[in-house]
Amino acid sequence: MQTQEAKLGTVPEILYINSGSCNGCDIELLAAFVELQETGLKFNVNVEARKPRYDILVITGPVTAQSFCRISRMLREAGGRLEVEYAVLLGSCACGGGIWYDSYATLGGFDSFLNYLRRVEEAELTIRKEKIYITGCPVRPRDVAETLREILEKIYG
Amino acid sequence: MIDRLRECGLRDFTYIDDETVTTCVRPEELSQILRCLILRAGLHFSTCVGVDVRGLGEQGIEIYYIVSGKKLRLLLRTSVAPSEKIEVPLDLPCTYWCLHEARDLVGLNLRNEVYTYRFVLPDSYPRSVCPLRKDYQYSERPLTKCVQEMPTRPEKAITLFPHIPYFYEHEDFIVYVDVDKIVDFEYRGFYNHRGIEKVGETRLKADQVPFIAERICGICGYTHSCAYCQAVESALRIDIPESARLTRTLLLEVERIESHLLWLAILCYMINLRDLFLKLMRCREHVMSMGEILTGNRKMYGINVIGGVRDFITSERIEKAARLFSELKTQCTKLLQELKSSERLRAATRGVGTLSREDALITGAVGPVARASGIDYDVRKYLPYAAYSQVSFSIPVYSEGDVYSRALVRIDETLESIDIIDQVLGMSRALLEKPHRSEYEWLPCRVGVGMTEAPRGEDVHFIITGHDLRLYRWRVRAPTYANLPSLWKSLIGEKLEHANLIIASIDPCLACTDRLVVVDTGLGKVRKITRLVEVREA
Amino acid sequence: MLFHSIRGVPAIDPEKCMGCGACASKCPTDSLTLHRTRDSILLELNVARCIRCAYCAEACPNNAITIEDKYTVIGRSREELAIRVIVPLARCDSCGEPLRHSAREVELAREKVPDLNVIKLCDKCKVKRVLAR
Ligand code: SF4
Ligand code: SF4
C-alpha cells in the first residue's frame, strides 16, 4: 500500500505572502496553523517562491507598493511565472483592499494586484483551481483552519 | 522644568494644554538646541513632523519637533523656506529617520543625507513624488516597473531565511560580518507603508480615523486609536468622562498583556523552550477572548471615538470578563514565574546585544528597550493619560541593557498589567456610568499631541485640525520606529548567531512603523529576518 | 445594544431601509455605497471589504441595520460577497414620475408629523399647480 504522501509524491506546499498587512491576520493565521497541525494533515509553509508551482497561496494585506516590488522581484527570480492551485485571501485587506483600498501606497487588494502585475511587470501568477475569499478584520483562526483543512483534504484526495 | 528649557536658549512659550508648550525656533539653531535638550536637560526626543503649510496660508514647510519629559511636552516649531536646506544632526541618530521621512513624503531638503536611497517609498516612485504635500491626490499611484530596491547587494553574500517561517513580515536586514562578528548593518524596511496618514487627511473624516488608526497595527492597534483620540481631545480641549478613561485603561492593559505574551512566546520558541511557547500561546488565546467579550472582536476593538468610548460596556460583559480573568490570572502568573526562573533563558540571553544608557538616549529608544537600559521613561507615569493617575503600579527598570533585561522588563510589566486590570475591574460601578462620551465642537487649525505607552514603548500621534471635521495633518510615530535605530548600537560587535535574537528583542513591529511605510517584520515579534546577508572576508 | 456576542457583518433590513445614505457616509471603508437609478435607490454592501466596525448600524436613523453574530463570510468571488438592497422611490401623485426621496422616507415623515401635509409632487407638477392657481 502506498501512503498518501507517496501517492502525491510530496507534501502539499503552501506559499504564504504578507503583502503589507497590519499583522492582525498574520497572527490569526499562526493560530490557525497551530490548530491545523493537530489534525495530522501534513503541509509545508514557504515564505519565498523558489519554484514555479505551489499548491496553496495564502496572502494577507492589501499589497502595498513597496511589497509589490518585492513580490514581483520574487516572481522574476522564480522564472517570471508562478502557478498555484488554490489562492486563499485573508482579511478584508486582501479581499477588497480594506480601509486603505484607494491609497497611493497600496494596490487595493489581491484582485487589483493581479491586474497591476499583468500591466506593469511581465510576470504572471495563475490560479488553476479556486480563489477563496475569507473576510473579516482580522480573520478568525477557526474559519481559516477549516478552509485550509478542506483544501488539504481535496489535495490528498 | 521651564528653567531648564530657558537654559537651552528657548523663550516665549505658549501653552496648548496643561502639559504641552510650544515655541518657535530658527532652523539654524535647531541642532544646538536639540543637543542641549537631550544631552544636558535629559529630555526624550519623541519625533519630528514635517507639515506642508501651503494650505494654511503660509509658505514652504514647517517642522515640529516633539520633545518630552516629566509632566512636560515641548513642541518646537521651525519654518523652512521652500529652497532652504536643513541639517541632520549627525550625533543624534534619533532624528535621522523622521527627517528622511519628511524628505520623502513632504519634500524637505536635507543638507547632509544619511540615507541617499528612497527611504519610505518604493524606489520606483519618482523622486518628485511627495505624497503628503497638499497638491498630491491621495489615490494616485505612479507605479512603474520595479527597480532593484536594496541599497547594496554584495557579491559574497548568502541569504539566511526567516527564523520561524510562520512569523513573517517583509524587512531586510543586511548584516556585514568579519568571520562571525557583526561589523556593520543596513536596514531596508517600510514595506508596510500603506499611506495611512494621507488617507486620514483626505478621504476620512476625523470621527472615522480611530478605525484606521486601530489598523495601523494588528498587535497593538488599540493604543494607536487611543493616542489619536487623545491628540484630538487635547487639540479641542475635550474632557472625557471617567467611565471612558477607565474603559480605555482596561483595554490598553489587556492589549499589553496580549502583546507581551506573544513576544515572550516567540522568545521561548527562539531559545528552544517549545513547551512554554505553546503554553504561553494558549494563555494568550484567553486574553484575546477577553477582548472579544468586552468589545465584540478579538482584535480591532473598535470602541474608541473622539470624546470617549462607544456604548459597548455592559454589566453582563464586565461580569463575564471578570470571571474569565480570575481564572487566567493564576495560570498566567505561574507561567511567567516559571519563565523568569528558567536557567535556559538566562544562559541564552544574558550579556547579548547590550545597549548602554547613553546609546539608548541618543538613538531615542523607548519602552522596554529603554527601560532595560536604565531609563525609567514611561508615558503612563511621565504624562499620565486615561485613568493611569488613578491606579497604582510600578515601572520595572533594569540597567544591564541586554536581551535578558528586556525579557525581564516585559515579564514584570505583564504582572503589573494583571494588577492594573484587577484594580479597574474592581471599579465596575464607575466603569458602567453613563454617558461614555462627551460632545464636542470641531475647530480648525488646532494643534494636538497624543501619547500613549504602547507595549513596545511610547506612541506619538500629532494632529493639526482642518475644516469640516477633517484633519489637516496627522502624523503617527510608532514605537518600533524609535527603537530600530538602536539596533546600530546593539548589533555591531555581536556574534552573527545572536543577530536574530537581538533584532527580535526590540520587539519590532513593522506594521506600525511603516504605516505609510511599515517596517514590521512579522508577527509582532519575530520579525522575520527576510534576508540576512552574510559576507565573509577572505 | 449594538451587537450580542460578537460584532459580525451588518444585515440590512430591506423592509426598513429608506435609502437615506446615513450609513454609507459613515462607513470608513466605503463598503456601503449608495447608487441612484431612475426609479430606485440601490444600497450595496461589499462584505469583502467590510471591517465589522458597526459604525453603520450606529448611524442608521431607522434601525434598519443590525449586527449579526456571523463574523466570517467565505466566498469564491467578489460577486458572491455583495449584498444589495433596492429601495423604491416615491412617485409624483399627479404624473407618476419618480421623486428624489424614497417612498419609505415620505411615509415615515407622514407618520412622524401627521399634521404636516407632505406634498408628493415632482418639480414640474409643482410649478404647473402654482401657475394654475
Ligand atoms: S484585514 Fe484587518 S486585521 Fe487583517 S491585515 Fe487587514 S487591517 Fe489587519
Ligand atoms: S460594519 Fe463598518 S465597514 Fe462594515 S459596512 Fe458597516 S460601517 Fe462599513
Side-chain angles (χ1 to χ4, degrees):
Chain A
M1 260 296 278
Q2 276 180 318
T3 63
Q4 276 189 328
E5 260 174 64
K7 235 188 329 190
L8 277 166
T10 163
V11 179
E13 298 278 340
I14 297 182
L15 174 63
Y16 154 46
I17 298 178
N18 171 333
S19 67
S21 92
C22 77
N23 274 349
C25 289
D26 300 88
I27 298 169
E28 303 294 46
L29 177 67
L30 166 72
F33 279 149
V34 173
E35 211 166 296
L36 256 186
Q37 265 163 358
E38 282 163 18
T39 65
L41 286 167
K42 286 216 178 110
F43 58 89
N44 287 338
V45 181
N46 306 277
V47 291
E48 200 118 334
R50 293 289 195 75
K51 42 182 205 169
R53 206 200 132 269
Y54 285 86
D55 295 291
I56 307 176
L57 167 73
V58 176
I59 184 159
T60 61
V63 192
T64 59
Q66 284 262 51
S67 54
F68 175 67
C69 282
R70 208 203 155 78
I71 296 170
S72 29
R73 187 176 76 199
M74 187 173 93
L75 287 187
R76 256 183 274 143
E77 277 168 12
R81 46 178 62 244
L82 185 70
E83 268 182 19
V84 295
E85 302 287 314
Y86 297 89
V88 182
L89 320 187
L90 295 191
S92 63
C93 284
C95 293
I99 193 159
W100 22 70
Y101 73 99
D102 55 353
S103 130
Y104 66 89
T106 76
L107 304 192
F110 186 70
D111 289 337
S112 78
F113 155 72
L114 288 183
N115 291 339
Y116 277 105
L117 194 64
R118 228 167 285 133
R119 234 184 49 213
V120 182
E121 302 276 338
E122 288 101 55
E124 214 175 321
L125 201 163
T126 336
I127 299 153
R128 294 257 297 267
K129 291 199 174 124
E130 261 179 315
K131 185 153 68 174
I132 298 152
Y133 297 77
I134 308 184
T135 62
C137 178
V139 288
R140 294 188 152 237
R142 179 67 38 84
D143 303 300
V144 178
E146 265 305 284
T147 315
L148 287 177
R149 209 203 62 219
E150 271 169 35
I151 300 179
L152 286 172
E153 274 168 0
K154 266 192 220 163
I155 295 176
Y156 275 119
Chain B
M1 200 45 137
I2 290 284
D3 292 340
R4 275 203 257 165
L5 300 184
R6 292 226 164 83
E7 276 166 31
C8 288
L10 295 170
R11 310 260 167 286
D12 306 328
F13 302 105
T14 333
Y15 279 83
I16 295 185
D17 61 24
D18 305 344
E19 285 156 347
T20 317
V21 293
T22 159
T23 177
C24 294
V25 282
R26 273 179 290 129
E28 19 348 320
E29 317 169 317
L30 247 169
S31 305
Q32 208 44 49
I33 291 177
L34 285 178
R35 240 166 252 143
C36 174
L37 289 174
I38 297 164
L39 303 175
R40 270 207 275 134
L43 293 181
H44 166 78
F45 179 83
S46 295
T47 194
C48 60
V49 190
V51 188
D52 173 10
V53 285
R54 286 173 303 163
L56 297 172
E58 280 162 58
Q59 278 297 308
I61 293 170
E62 247 171 37
I63 316 178
Y64 287 82
Y65 289 80
I66 307 174
V67 183
S68 18
K70 216 167 216 142
K71 303 267 181 295
L72 177 95
R73 202 181 282 135
L74 176 64
L75 278 177
L76 299 173
R77 207 171 131 183
T78 331
S79 306
V80 188
S83 55
E84 202 172 344
K85 287 197 168 163
I86 283 283
E87 183 204 330
V88 182
L90 292 178
D91 52 343
L92 295 174
C94 49
T95 59
Y96 292 1
W97 282 34
C98 61
L99 287 172
H100 285 82
E101 185 180 324
R103 176 198 69 185
D104 271 15
L105 299 179
V106 203
L108 181 72
N109 292 315
L110 298 181
R111 189 173 309 145
N112 47 347
E113 291 186 347
V114 182
Y115 312 105
T116 44
Y117 50 95
R118 285 227 93 165
F119 193 58
V120 173
L121 296 171
D123 290 347
S124 55
Y125 276 25
R127 277 266 175 162
S128 56
V129 169
C130 300
L132 290 189
R133 292 182 77 92
K134 289 294 156 189
D135 42 18
Y136 190 84
Q137 162 70 26
Y138 81 102
S139 53
E140 198 178 312
R141 295 174 180 148
L143 213 62
T144 52
K145 194 162 168 163
C146 295
V147 288
Q148 188 67 29
E149 67 211 58
M150 295 299 297
T152 38
R153 193 99 183 261
E155 290 261 295
K156 280 186 236 154
I158 54 165
T159 304
L160 304 180
F161 275 97
H163 203 77
I164 309 171
Y166 296 169
F167 306 123
Y168 162 68
E169 218 169 346
H170 293 319
E171 201 177 24
D172 293 324
F173 290 103
I174 307 168
V175 182
Y176 298 90
V177 296
D178 177 5
V179 191
D180 68 345
K181 208 167 127 226
I182 301 174
V183 291
D184 201 0
F185 155 72
E186 260 177 84
Y187 167 79
R188 178 75 202 233
F190 290 90
Y191 289 105
N192 282 28
H193 181 93
R194 286 154 292 180
I196 295 175
E197 291 173 4
K198 188 74 178 179
V199 175
E201 290 166 18
T202 49
R203 177 163 56 83
L204 296 183
K205 293 211 165 163
D207 67 328
Q208 297 169 323
V209 173
F211 297 109
I212 196 171
E214 197 157 48
R215 281 163 183 82
I216 289 172
C217 175
I219 303 160
C220 55
Y222 187 65
T223 207
H224 282 286
S225 78
C226 277
Y228 166 75
C229 291
Q230 283 171 25
V232 180
E233 282 148 15
S234 109
L236 303 180
R237 300 218 169 208
I238 307 167
D239 209 11
I240 70 166
E242 175 77 25
S243 53
R245 289 177 186 277
L246 285 168
T247 312
R248 285 187 187 174
T249 312
L250 175 64
L251 289 168
L252 282 168
E253 292 308 315
V254 169
E255 189 174 79
R256 189 181 320 278
I257 298 184
E258 180 230 304
S259 172
H260 280 352
L261 285 182
L262 180 63
W263 185 84
L264 291 166
I266 288 171
L267 179 72
C268 287
Y269 190 97
M270 293 182 96
I271 60 173
N272 258 325
L273 289 168
R274 300 296 155 98
D275 186 40
L276 254 159
F277 162 75
L278 281 177
K279 282 193 200 150
L280 284 167
M281 285 303 280
R282 248 174 254 142
C283 184
R284 183 174 173 276
E285 275 302 303
H286 294 299
V287 186
M288 301 287 277
S289 312
M290 230 181 116
E292 179 177 299
I293 292 169
L294 290 168
T295 68
N297 203 346
R298 289 162 51 93
K299 205 54 246 171
M300 310 304 172
Y301 301 145
I303 191 172
N304 269 355
V305 283
I306 297 168
V309 294
R310 295 163 82 188
D311 291 323
F312 290 173
I313 303 291
T314 60
S315 54
E316 304 92 79
R317 286 195 184 127
I318 296 277
E319 261 164 44
K320 214 166 147 204
R323 236 177 293 131
L324 177 66
F325 185 68
S326 57
E327 281 167 32
L328 182 158
K329 198 163 64 179
T330 30
Q331 189 196 348
C332 190
T333 316
K334 218 174 94 223
L335 277 177
L336 291 173
Q337 300 296 6
E338 186 183 333
L339 179 60
K340 203 171 173 181
S341 55
S342 143
E343 251 329 294
R344 176 69 123 315
L345 175 68
R346 183 198 293 261
T349 57
R350 198 138 197 210
V352 173
T354 312
L355 180 70
S356 69
R357 190 169 190 278
E358 288 65 44
D359 285 347
L361 270 178
I362 59 162
T363 53
V366 293
V369 180
R371 290 195 284 278
S373 296
I375 300 171
D376 70 339
Y377 182 64
D378 185 314
V379 187
R380 292 177 293 172
K381 279 276 195 251
Y382 271 63
L383 296 153
Y385 54 97
Y388 284 111
S389 44
Q390 275 155 270
V391 288
S392 67
F393 62 100
S394 63
I395 306 288
V397 180
Y398 288 80
S399 54
E400 289 79 7
D402 52 4
V403 178
Y404 186 55
S405 336
R406 285 172 216 155
L408 291 183
V409 166
R410 290 193 176 95
I411 295 176
D412 293 352
E413 266 181 30
T414 317
L415 294 171
E416 287 293 325
S417 298
I418 294 180
D419 195 45
I420 298 177
I421 295 183
D422 248 343
Q423 295 178 41
V424 177
L425 285 175
M427 299 186 234
S428 58
R429 269 257 298 293
L431 251 177
L432 291 166
E433 221 166 85
K434 301 225 170 194
H436 292 308
R437 56 167 113 167
S438 338
E439 298 297 322
Y440 59 90
E441 192 194 334
W442 190 258
L443 303 163
C445 303
R446 300 292 163 104
V447 176
V449 184
M451 282 190 194
T452 56
E453 183 69 23
R456 288 166 193 75
E458 171 209 55
D459 176 24
V460 187
H461 281 231
F462 168 94
I463 61 138
I464 300 179
T465 58
H467 291 275
D468 305 328
L469 208 60
R470 303 243 175 214
L471 297 175
Y472 183 78
R473 179 74 171 98
W474 173 36
R475 163 82 159 103
V476 184
R477 206 295 323 272
T480 306
Y481 192 95
N483 278 333
L484 276 169
S486 75
L487 280 180
W488 267 269
K489 300 285 178 194
S490 54
L491 210 51
I492 293 176
E494 293 286 329
K495 289 220 179 90
L496 178 63
E497 65 200 65
H498 290 143
N500 264 331
L501 193 59
I502 298 169
I503 294 174
S505 77
I506 68 162
D507 197 357
C509 183
L510 304 177
C512 313
T513 313
D514 302 348
R515 297 137 343 206
L516 300 200
V517 186
V518 178
V519 181
D520 207 61
T521 328
L523 260 238
K525 327 312 55 260
V526 174
R527 273 26 190 43
K528 144 200 207 178
I529 296 182
T530 323
R531 257 151 215 274
L532 194 61
V533 182
E534 188 179 338
V535 193
R536 283 187 187 271
E537 299 213 326
Chain C
M1 216 198 290
L2 220 43
F3 60 93
H4 300 285
S5 59
I6 52 177
R7 228 166 54 232
V9 263
I12 309 162
D13 185 347
E15 295 302 311
K16 275 180 158 178
C17 175
M18 47 187 198
C20 68
C23 53
S25 70
K26 282 283 180 193
C27 176
T29 60
D30 293 348
S31 302
L32 275 166
T33 42
L34 206 64
H35 308 277
R36 282 184 170 270
T37 57
R38 216 188 83 82
D39 54 2
S40 60
I41 293 172
L42 172 70
L43 182 64
E44 193 176 318
L45 168 62
N46 177 356
V47 180
R49 196 188 293 147
C50 167
I51 53 172
R52 325 291 195 247
C53 64
Y55 218 33
C56 48
E58 203 174 297
C60 182
N62 202 24
N63 296 330
I65 303 184
T66 44
I67 297 299
E68 294 190 326
D69 272 351
K70 183 173 171 48
Y71 182 91
T72 311
V73 179
I74 300 179
R76 313 273 142 161
S77 70
R78 293 280 280 266
E79 206 30 47
E80 239 179 79
L81 292 167
I83 295 172
R84 293 192 183 83
V85 171
I86 295 171
V87 187
L89 289 178
R91 283 173 183 277
C92 174
D93 279 341
S94 146
C95 68
E97 276 295 297
L99 302 178
R100 284 200 57 74
H101 299 283
S102 69
R104 209 156 292 128
E105 256 172 318
V106 176
E107 246 170 61
L108 226 78
R110 283 214 173 121
E111 257 170 48
K112 292 259 156 76
V113 199
D115 343 323
L116 186 78
N117 184 15
V118 184
I119 326 170
K120 265 172 62 186
L121 286 180
C122 69
D123 290 349
K124 265 195 206 146
C125 297
K126 255 186 231 158
V127 176
K128 261 190 218 156
R129 183 170 291 189
V130 172
L131 290 180
R133 254 192 224 148

